[in-house]
Amino acid sequence: MLLRIASSFAKPIGLSVHYSHFRSKNTSYGVISQMSHQVLRSKSKKLAHFRLCNVSSYATELLEVLANEPTFHVLVIPGNPGVVSYYKEFVESLYELLGGSASVTGKITVGHLSHTKKDWEHGRLFSLQEQIDHKVHFIKQELQNDEVPILLVGHSIGAYICVEMLKRIPEKVLYCVGLYPFLALNLQSRNQSIIGKIAASPVVCVALSSIVALLGLLPSQALRLIVSQSLGKSWSSAAVEATCSHLAKYHTMRNMLYMAMTEFRKLSETPDWAFMREKHHRIAFLFGTDDHWGPLQMFEEISRQVPDIALSREREGHTHAFCCTEAGSTWVAQHVVTLINNQISRSTH
């Protein structure tokens, strides 16, 4: 959904949680300390790898960084589009900042089924509910006999999916973190109104998906130039490549729009405040300052409805599409690791 991506990145977003940095009075010592830290980080850097697996007979793209003896699993649930490649730098930063103690699994394509490079499902369209079911099936299939606790990290509509997964399998999920969460329709957003009308029209969806597919036929260098100049001027090379390899496909665009249509229908309902109040100690949200998908009125509504829940605002200038820049991926990973460490500390006392 190129319109959705463009609108998501149109304005900068910023943050409210701040990290303090130690600055040595001895300049030489500070430089040496910084260099040593960079060496240690480079040594511990472990690259994520892609894997294709079968979940309930559906081809599912995974992006994984696996620990040898993990103390917990972090399962990253993408937004829409649900292309795992967008989260490569974020997932690698999570693993590194957690010190290799966790198996970090970012799964996509029914995280989004059929948001894939190849049309594995032969044109089938998948709804929001089917994407939720797919994530639950993934845990039951891949992690059912694993006693290691699971922490969910969801981006945008992925945050909503995480809350629904906590409802379905509370015995498996220890904690949920929602990043720039899309939890309800924003009736004040013109962008959402336009996207909703496009997604609701099958004729427009087919036409738009066909146009995008034609762009995908361009030589790779030409397509990469178009993407980098129009959408990804500040994007990482991994995000630009993910857009070229996955989004410029008819089946991916159709599924993005169809999922968006079902999102808009479901999220027109009032959020389940009773469940959030009951599980407030197992849920945290990070909001942006200028994000129409997770607007500040939703931040304020949650603080009224669920006063004890962990809420944060970002003011560092990142956007809803934080995962498309290296700086955004690193900052948000730091924030998530802080939340995870605090939750693990509370659960062991």
Side-chain angles (χ1 to χ4, degrees):
M1 194 185 311
L2 295 182
L3 175 59
R4 179 172 190 162
I5 295 173
S7 65
S8 297
F9 307 164
K11 298 179 181 179
I13 302 172
L15 281 189
S16 96
V17 185
H18 299 280
Y19 293 90
S20 59
H21 299 274
F22 174 75
R23 182 175 295 173
S24 173
K25 294 181 180 179
N26 185 316
T27 304
S28 298
Y29 175 80
V31 172
I32 293 172
S33 177
Q34 184 179 17
M35 290 175 63
S36 299
H37 181 62
Q38 289 174 343
V39 170
L40 287 173
R41 282 172 63 90
S42 65
K43 284 184 178 180
S44 63
K45 188 74 171 181
K46 188 173 181 180
L47 299 180
H49 69 274
F50 296 94
R51 177 165 69 91
L52 189 67
C53 77
N54 189 298
V55 177
S56 298
S57 77
Y58 297 122
T60 303
E61 289 182 354
L62 303 178
L63 177 67
E64 298 177 319
V65 185
L66 300 178
N68 294 327
E69 296 181 1
T71 54
F72 54 91
H73 296 300
V74 178
L75 181 61
V76 178
I77 308 298
N80 185 3
V83 177
V84 285
S85 307
Y86 282 126
Y87 298 86
K88 184 177 186 296
E89 286 153 347
F90 174 64
V91 167
E92 289 173 350
S93 294
L94 271 182
Y95 180 87
E96 183 180 3
L97 292 166
L98 287 168
S101 62
S103 239
V104 182
T105 304
K107 93 145 191 90
I108 260 158
T109 311
V110 191
H112 299 359
L113 282 168
S114 282
H115 294 213
T116 47
K117 188 173 183 178
K118 292 185 178 181
D119 185 11
W120 300 106
E121 307 309 329
H122 309 291
R124 177 173 172 176
L125 303 178
F126 294 89
S127 68
L128 172 61
Q129 187 57 54
E130 287 172 312
Q131 302 287 7
I132 295 171
D133 294 341
H134 171 264
K135 308 307 176 289
V136 172
H137 294 157
F138 172 82
I139 289 179
K140 290 182 176 180
Q141 175 181 306
E142 299 287 319
L143 303 172
Q144 182 61 37
N145 298 321
D146 195 333
E147 296 183 359
V148 176
I150 299 170
L151 292 82
L152 301 177
V153 178
H155 174 217
S156 192
I157 190 62
Y160 175 87
I161 294 174
C162 285
V163 174
E164 292 300 303
M165 293 172 70
L166 178 59
K167 285 183 186 179
R168 296 267 296 269
I169 44 175
E171 72 283 357
K172 296 291 294 182
V173 176
L174 176 66
Y175 194 50
C176 293
V177 179
L179 306 173
Y180 305 89
F182 181 31
L183 303 173
L185 288 185
N186 179 1
L187 300 179
Q188 300 177 20
S189 170
R190 183 171 177 271
N191 285 332
Q192 284 192 29
S193 176
I194 293 173
I195 293 168
K197 291 176 181 178
I198 291 174
S201 171
V203 173
V204 174
C205 289
V206 168
L208 182 58
S209 300
S210 298
I211 293 171
V212 170
L214 288 174
L215 289 174
L217 297 177
L218 292 172
S220 58
Q221 289 186 337
L223 181 59
R224 193 173 291 107
L225 179 63
I226 291 173
V227 171
S228 60
Q229 292 299 312
S230 59
L231 292 176
K233 289 184 178 180
S234 62
W235 285 11
S236 66
S237 58
V240 171
E241 181 59 34
T243 303
C244 296
S245 64
H246 285 67
L247 262 61
K249 307 284 185 181
Y250 180 86
H251 70 278
T252 301
M253 186 58 58
R254 283 287 280 131
N255 265 280
M256 288 165 58
L257 291 167
Y258 183 75
M259 182 177 173
M261 179 193 69
T262 60
E263 289 174 31
F264 278 44
R265 288 179 179 175
K266 185 61 180 178
L267 271 61
S268 64
E269 302 173 4
T270 302
D272 192 344
W273 300 123
F275 177 78
M276 289 192 196
R277 282 191 287 268
E278 178 187 353
K279 303 294 185 183
H280 70 271
H281 58 293
R282 296 169 66 179
I283 302 173
F285 293 119
L286 171 67
F287 281 79
T289 297
D290 189 14
D291 178 11
H292 72 83
W293 297 111
L296 291 184
Q297 58 260 36
M298 175 55 69
F299 176 96
E300 294 163 357
E301 183 66 15
I302 294 176
S303 65
R304 286 193 294 268
Q305 296 285 349
V306 195
D308 296 324
I309 203 168
L311 289 177
S312 305
R313 278 178 57 191
E314 182 249 326
R315 299 183 187 277
E316 297 294 322
H318 304 300
T319 69
H320 184 86
F322 73 90
C323 56
C324 291
T325 67
E326 294 180 10
S329 295
T330 300
W331 192 95
V332 175
Q334 290 174 335
H335 179 74
V336 171
V337 168
T338 298
L339 291 172
I340 289 174
N341 287 337
N342 291 340
Q343 179 66 17
I344 296 296
S345 177
R346 284 195 297 269
S347 65
T348 55
H349 288 86

